[in-house]
Amino acid sequence: MGRTVNSVKSEISINRVLKKYLKNWYIFALSLTIATLFAWNKNKYIEPEYSLKTSILIEDKTNSSILNEKAAISSSPLFLNQKLIDNQIALLKSHAQIRKIIEKLDFEVSYFAKGKHIWNEIYKDSPFTVALDSGHKQVRYKKINLKVLSESTYEIYSDETSALENPKTWRFGELASSKDYGFVVTLKEDVVAKDLIQNEYAFQINDINGLVRHYLDKTNAYIERGPSIMIISTTGTNKQKEMDYLNQLTTEFLQSNLDKKNQMLTNMLRFIDIQLQAFGEELNNTEQRLEDFRKSNQFMQLDQKVGALLKNLDSESKDKKNFLLDLEYYNYLINYVKEREDIDDIVMPSSMGYNLPMFNELQGRLSLKIQERDKLLSNSNKNNPYIKTLEYEIEVLKESLIESMRTVIETTEEKINSTDERMLSMNQEFMMLPGMERQYFSIMRNFKIIDNLYDFLLKRKSEVQLQLAANMPDHEIIDYAGETGITNVSKSPKTAYMNAYIWAILLPAIFLFLLVYLNNRILATEDITSNTDVSIIGNIANYPPQGHDVVIRSPGSYFTELFRIIRIKLDLLPEKAQQVVVVTSSTLEEGKTFFASNLASVYALTGKKSLLLGFDFRSPEELDGFNLDQEIGITSHLVGGYPLEQVIQRTFTKNLDILLAGPVPPNPDELIESDKTKKMFEELRSRYDYIIMDTPPIGLFGDAYLLNKYSDATLFLVRNNFTRKQEFVTAIHEAVNNHMKNLWIVFNDVKLKVSDNDLKAYGDSAPKRFILVRVYKKARRLLIDFLRKI
């Protein structure tokens, strides 16, 4: 007895998969043919695509100018701050910047000319222009075909929208309008209208917001050739259009940079003018008071003590005025930060001569956070969690900035209070002077303070005006788009073919592999041997359905030889009472009856009396080729009391008799277990040398187990590419556990390469026409022997 397993072991054989591929080679051939046609058709519709680029030098403008904190991107090209570089890229690719470019270049309408297979964008080469009615609804992102009918009329239609599915005729220069569109088509001045008659063009109305998103996605900016060269690139189907876009983008980027610097200087001038106006009026009033005092009192000279006191008070008063000016500027800063969202154009402390490193650092960090948030807002909304985090960080930085300015203001107020205390002491000393000197001292002190401050502001204003006049962008264009190389980045036709061929091979390969992998049927002997230790006694080749008497009709065929091999291996000895063979399987239609009839025939060919016993009471099968009476059989003997001589049917072949199942009984199991069955077997063993029993499948019925006590050997049939693995494993496991006698497996319906001609070509008596076969076999044997020796 062999040992078997309970669960199915399924192994994927590479050899089996390869055989599947070779067997279905035509699927690959058909797939490759379809792939070739698909790639050829796809290549016809490939639009040419070009890559253009421009480059900008990110320069350092740090100098001793009044903009030394805002005029440059960073401190040095060799040590550029990466965050600030990223900041410039963010400004370049901002939503507002791209929108400004799109609106200036008038990309809202795209123009096309009909090519051999595709529509080609012609951009500025279009012979007509389309002016949109801004207050009218438009059909957007749908290609509208335009055909010139005459010098003054044209026809429009579209296959992409129902609004223009019916052609409509309009005149050039008049408003073409319906509920879905409204625009005016005008021929360009240098176009000869009659040359365009019957020509077909097309145009497409785009959406500004959609165009902005499109160009934001395809515009690429990165640093190259060191840390100070920024490369800006884009791709498109029209070289001139992409060239205009890149050149306009870089021009606007530099102009925006210059405008921001000029705006900062303008804000500074406005602040200085306000201060000059206030101090100018006060200076005039003080100067007039001083002049009036001199005329009325003929006051010309102060003694040395009064001069020293005047000088000290003048110095303290000047300091206080400076502190008050500082305080006014600091309040301006704190109010600006509180009230404004964008603080890039704030008048920086250094430009006013103040040294506030903490403010400068916090303002720089705050600007970066605001720009980072604005960049994200161009592609998202305020509900984005990261934007909310940035908003929180911006508020924290603003609070820190305001708190730092409060500290500076408190320090300045303390300086003012300290100065007031010193001035109070001097004023007390001053009050001890005579009245005339005291009055003159007070007027002169105010005059000098205001005069010094006024001169300071005038000097500052001239410096700012000079800087404004000489201002230049921080950056410089190195190469304009079109001056550098234009690269064709269109999809290669070879790539289309390569991808198509890869899929043409991969998809059928995966499909066939899955057929093998998911096939739950037994396909090879490995599927049997991996799931049980029960031995395979032989293979039966697949044979065209020609009846159950193939062995009788073709005793010299290779098919018959396969049955002889099983008979020899089975080695039953009638003299030792080894006579009865049970033929069973796991399920229906596995060839049990066909196999049993031919096995009985092979025994009959030996000259021994053989009997085919049809014990399949459940579904008795008719034996084609033997011309038997299906109405009599075993049940006629066991139930009806017919003698064996009347129910056993003779065949045209000597030594071969057949006892069919007969009419279907109501109680097959009880009938098999009856004493009559036992007596029948005893009588049959005495009459025949070999008895071959055809029984129901043990995977469905238990008849074979009941007949096991009457048998000497059991042949378990497994049909190639039919028997399910799980059914086989379960059935063979039960057969082993129920101790089926002398259990063997027969692999049925196997495709074997050996044919009847191989038998004819074997041996010394083979006909001469097979001499080449013999020569081939001899040569092969010599080659094998040679290879073994080396």
Side-chain angles (χ1 to χ4, degrees):
M1 285 295 170
R3 179 184 56 83
T4 187
V5 296
N6 288 309
S7 59
V8 177
K9 291 184 179 178
S10 181
E11 298 178 357
I12 289 297
S13 170
I14 299 299
N15 185 45
R16 187 184 303 177
V17 175
L18 292 177
K19 285 181 179 179
K20 190 74 171 179
Y21 290 162
L22 292 174
K23 179 181 177 181
N24 296 277
W25 63 269
Y26 57 90
I27 297 180
F28 290 96
L30 178 63
S31 180
L32 288 170
T33 302
I34 295 174
T36 302
L37 294 175
F38 174 79
W40 173 77
N41 185 67
K42 183 179 180 181
N43 284 334
K44 294 192 304 183
Y45 300 98
I46 292 179
E47 288 188 86
E49 192 169 10
Y50 304 94
S51 174
L52 291 84
K53 62 182 180 180
T54 182
S55 55
I56 297 178
L57 175 64
I58 307 297
E59 290 187 289
D60 176 27
K61 298 293 185 179
T62 303
N63 48 39
S64 57
S65 73
I66 58 172
L67 295 178
N68 58 352
E69 287 194 45
K70 295 288 285 185
I73 293 178
S74 59
S75 58
S76 170
L78 296 178
F79 302 98
L80 289 174
N81 187 303
Q82 183 59 44
K83 287 188 176 181
L84 294 179
I85 289 291
D86 293 341
N87 182 40
Q88 295 303 307
I89 294 176
L91 290 174
L92 176 76
K93 293 184 62 178
S94 66
H95 189 278
Q97 184 83 335
I98 300 297
R99 187 183 183 90
K100 186 192 303 183
I101 307 302
I102 299 299
E103 291 175 347
K104 282 192 175 182
L105 292 175
D106 192 20
F107 282 178
E108 193 170 1
V109 180
S110 302
Y111 302 92
F112 303 89
K114 181 68 173 177
K116 186 176 180 180
H117 299 292
I118 60 174
W119 289 95
N120 298 310
E121 187 172 3
I122 51 179
Y123 187 42
K124 291 182 177 180
D125 296 330
S126 171
F128 62 91
T129 60
V130 177
L132 303 179
D133 183 355
S134 59
H136 205 290
K137 177 184 176 182
Q138 303 293 347
V139 177
R140 298 189 184 274
Y141 292 110
K142 304 294 182 182
K143 200 174 268 77
I144 301 174
N145 300 71
L146 185 148
K147 184 177 182 180
V148 181
L149 300 178
S150 67
E151 295 184 15
S152 59
T153 61
Y154 64 91
E155 179 185 80
I156 57 173
Y157 62 95
S158 177
D159 298 328
E160 300 179 4
T161 173
S162 59
L164 285 165
E165 59 183 357
N166 298 319
K168 293 187 180 180
T169 302
W170 303 92
R171 299 181 66 83
F172 288 109
E174 75 173 6
L175 177 65
S177 176
S178 78
K179 64 176 183 177
D180 297 305
Y181 59 85
F183 49 78
V184 177
V185 179
T186 307
L187 291 175
K188 292 183 177 179
E189 294 181 357
D190 56 345
V191 172
V192 180
K194 64 180 181 179
D195 295 339
L196 303 178
I197 295 177
Q198 299 304 315
N199 286 1
E200 287 193 39
Y201 300 92
F203 63 92
Q204 176 178 292
I205 302 173
N206 305 308
D207 176 65
I208 291 294
N209 293 324
L211 284 173
V212 172
R213 288 192 296 270
H214 174 66
Y215 275 91
L216 273 173
D217 291 338
K218 73 174 188 174
T219 302
N220 188 24
Y222 56 94
I223 300 300
E224 191 181 75
R225 288 181 285 169
S228 58
I229 305 297
M230 183 163 62
I231 305 298
I232 309 165
S233 65
T234 185
T235 58
T237 57
N238 189 284
K239 291 183 283 187
Q240 186 60 50
K241 187 175 184 178
E242 302 308 317
M243 189 185 305
D244 289 351
Y245 166 73
L246 283 179
N247 290 335
Q248 187 68 31
L249 178 63
T250 51
T251 301
E252 289 294 332
F253 175 63
L254 267 61
Q255 185 61 44
S256 297
N257 176 263
L258 181 60
D259 290 345
K260 181 174 288 189
K261 295 172 65 176
N262 289 341
Q263 181 62 42
M264 187 166 52
L265 292 172
T266 302
N267 291 344
M268 194 180 301
L269 284 174
R270 187 181 302 113
F271 178 81
I272 293 175
D273 284 339
I274 292 173
Q275 301 299 318
L276 281 174
Q277 183 178 359
F279 285 117
E281 293 176 359
E282 189 174 354
L283 181 63
N284 289 335
N285 294 334
T286 305
E287 186 177 14
Q288 186 62 44
R289 286 179 58 201
L290 182 62
E291 184 65 24
D292 292 343
F293 183 85
R294 285 175 174 172
K295 287 181 179 179
S296 60
N297 297 285
Q298 292 85 36
F299 194 86
M300 299 298 297
Q301 187 67 36
L302 294 172
D303 59 21
Q304 185 175 1
K305 181 179 179 181
V306 172
L309 184 59
L310 178 63
K311 182 177 180 181
N312 291 334
L313 272 172
D314 180 60
S315 176
E316 293 295 336
S317 297
K318 182 178 179 181
D319 288 344
K320 182 177 179 180
K321 283 289 185 180
N322 287 335
F323 292 148
L324 291 173
L325 185 62
D326 292 349
L327 188 61
E328 184 175 354
Y329 174 68
Y330 297 152
N331 286 320
Y332 155 78
L333 288 179
I334 198 169
N335 291 331
Y336 198 97
V337 172
K338 286 181 179 179
E339 297 171 1
R340 296 289 296 272
E341 179 69 21
D342 186 3
I343 62 170
D344 283 346
D345 55 353
I346 192 172
V347 179
M348 293 300 292
S350 59
S351 63
M352 297 299 296
Y354 300 107
N355 182 24
L356 299 175
M358 179 62 72
F359 180 89
N360 297 337
E361 180 187 354
L362 292 173
Q363 189 273 340
R365 288 166 57 189
L366 181 59
S367 295
L368 288 175
K369 292 293 182 181
I370 292 174
Q371 289 162 4
E372 185 178 359
R373 180 202 60 189
D374 293 343
K375 179 183 177 182
L376 289 174
L377 282 173
S378 64
N379 295 313
S380 184
N381 55 56
K382 292 185 177 181
N383 293 325
N384 188 318
Y386 187 65
I387 293 179
K388 290 184 177 180
T389 301
L390 286 176
E391 293 279 7
Y392 174 74
E393 293 177 355
I394 289 172
E395 290 302 320
V396 170
L397 285 172
K398 276 189 174 183
E399 289 297 327
S400 300
L401 199 60
I402 293 172
E403 188 62 32
S404 68
M405 289 310 305
R406 285 175 179 161
T407 302
V408 173
I409 289 174
E410 290 176 359
T411 303
T412 305
E413 289 176 345
E414 290 177 358
K415 292 180 179 179
I416 293 174
N417 293 333
S418 177
T419 304
D420 286 340
E421 291 177 358
R422 291 192 296 273
M423 290 180 65
L424 179 61
S425 175
M426 293 179 184
N427 281 329
Q428 291 175 351
E429 186 176 352
F430 171 73
M431 294 301 295
M432 298 174 64
L433 295 174
M436 184 180 298
E437 287 84 350
R438 189 168 60 250
Q439 187 178 359
Y440 175 77
F441 176 78
S442 176
I443 297 172
M444 178 60 70
R445 181 184 64 187
N446 288 335
F447 174 77
K448 286 186 177 182
I449 292 173
I450 296 172
D451 184 57
N452 289 335
L453 289 174
Y454 194 80
D455 289 343
F456 169 77
L457 291 173
L458 284 176
K459 181 181 178 182
R460 254 336 194 195
K461 181 177 181 178
S462 64
E463 290 176 353
V464 173
Q465 289 174 333
L466 180 63
Q467 182 68 22
L468 184 62
N471 218 3
M472 293 289 290
D474 289 339
H475 323 305
E476 180 181 351
I477 298 176
I478 299 177
D479 292 314
Y480 285 92
E483 295 177 354
T484 55
I486 300 176
T487 307
N488 189 334
V489 293
S490 306
K491 295 180 179 178
S492 171
K494 293 181 180 179
T495 303
Y497 281 106
M498 185 63 67
N499 291 335
Y501 289 151
I502 289 174
W503 285 107
I505 294 173
L506 191 60
L507 290 179
I510 293 174
F511 173 72
L512 294 174
F513 175 82
L514 290 176
L515 285 182
V516 175
Y517 179 75
L518 299 176
N519 193 340
N520 62 348
R521 303 179 187 274
I522 292 178
L523 301 174
T525 56
E526 293 82 1
D527 293 332
I528 299 175
T529 57
S530 63
N531 287 288
T532 181
D533 287 338
V534 178
S535 300
I536 299 174
I537 195 171
N539 299 327
I540 300 299
N542 62 326
Y543 201 85
Q546 298 179 3
H548 293 76
D549 57 345
V550 178
V551 168
I552 299 299
R553 287 186 288 104
S554 305
S557 67
Y558 179 69
F559 185 78
T560 301
E561 194 63 33
L562 295 174
F563 281 90
R564 288 194 179 100
I565 293 172
I566 294 174
R567 175 182 62 78
I568 294 169
K569 286 184 176 181
L570 199 55
D571 194 22
L572 293 178
L573 300 175
E575 59 272 17
K576 294 184 179 180
Q578 297 175 357
Q579 301 170 267
V580 183
V581 177
V582 169
V583 177
T584 187
S585 67
S586 59
T587 188
L588 303 173
E589 298 183 10
E590 293 186 295
K592 296 183 302 299
T593 304
F594 177 81
F595 174 81
S597 63
N598 283 283
L599 182 62
S601 300
V602 122
Y603 276 107
L605 291 177
T606 63
K608 301 292 186 179
K609 294 189 67 175
S610 303
L611 175 67
L612 173 61
L613 194 57
F615 246 104
D616 190 351
F617 292 154
R618 315 284 180 169
S619 178
E621 185 175 347
E622 185 176 349
L623 296 177
D624 298 332
F626 288 102
N627 193 23
L628 302 174
D629 184 0
Q630 301 292 324
E631 298 303 321
I632 59 173
I634 297 174
T635 56
S636 301
H637 171 68
L638 298 178
V639 179
Y642 286 76
L644 285 176
E645 289 78 7
Q646 292 184 18
V647 295
I648 295 176
Q649 303 184 55
R650 314 297 179 194
T651 67
F652 56 83
T653 301
K654 186 180 179 181
N655 299 321
L656 178 60
D657 294 340
I658 299 176
L659 178 53
L660 298 177
V664 178
N667 52 348
D669 293 341
E670 289 77 5
L671 192 60
I672 293 173
E673 293 182 292
S674 67
D675 292 336
K676 293 180 180 180
T677 302
K678 180 179 179 182
K679 291 178 182 179
M680 183 186 72
F681 270 102
E682 291 175 355
E683 188 172 349
L684 291 177
R685 279 179 177 269
S686 64
R687 292 187 183 191
Y688 294 94
D689 296 310
Y690 298 102
I691 301 173
I692 310 301
M693 275 197 294
D694 178 24
T695 65
I698 62 175
L700 301 176
F701 307 103
D703 297 18
Y705 300 133
L706 298 175
L707 294 168
N708 185 43
K709 59 186 176 182
Y710 302 118
S711 72
D712 302 302
T714 303
L715 296 181
F716 188 100
L717 259 68
V718 176
R719 186 176 177 183
N720 179 47
N721 200 22
F722 182 86
T723 303
R724 291 182 174 84
K725 294 177 183 177
Q726 185 60 58
E727 292 177 350
F728 162 72
V729 170
T730 303
I732 198 70
H733 177 70
E734 291 296 325
V736 171
N737 289 343
N738 284 278
H739 307 289
M740 297 294 287
K741 295 178 183 177
N742 198 13
L743 182 61
W744 298 88
I745 291 175
V746 177
F747 197 20
N748 189 26
D749 201 18
V750 181
K751 294 182 179 180
L752 301 176
K753 295 182 179 180
V754 182
S755 64
D756 292 344
N757 286 337
D758 293 301
L759 295 180
K760 297 177 182 179
Y762 185 80
D764 295 333
S765 61
K768 291 183 179 180
R769 65 177 179 272
F770 295 112
I771 188 65
L772 293 178
V773 176
R774 297 174 62 190
V775 171
Y776 163 74
K777 291 184 176 180
K778 184 66 174 178
R780 185 178 66 174
R781 172 51 56 192
L782 291 174
L783 178 61
I784 292 173
D785 291 342
F786 173 73
L787 292 175
R788 286 176 176 173
K789 289 180 181 179
I790 63 174

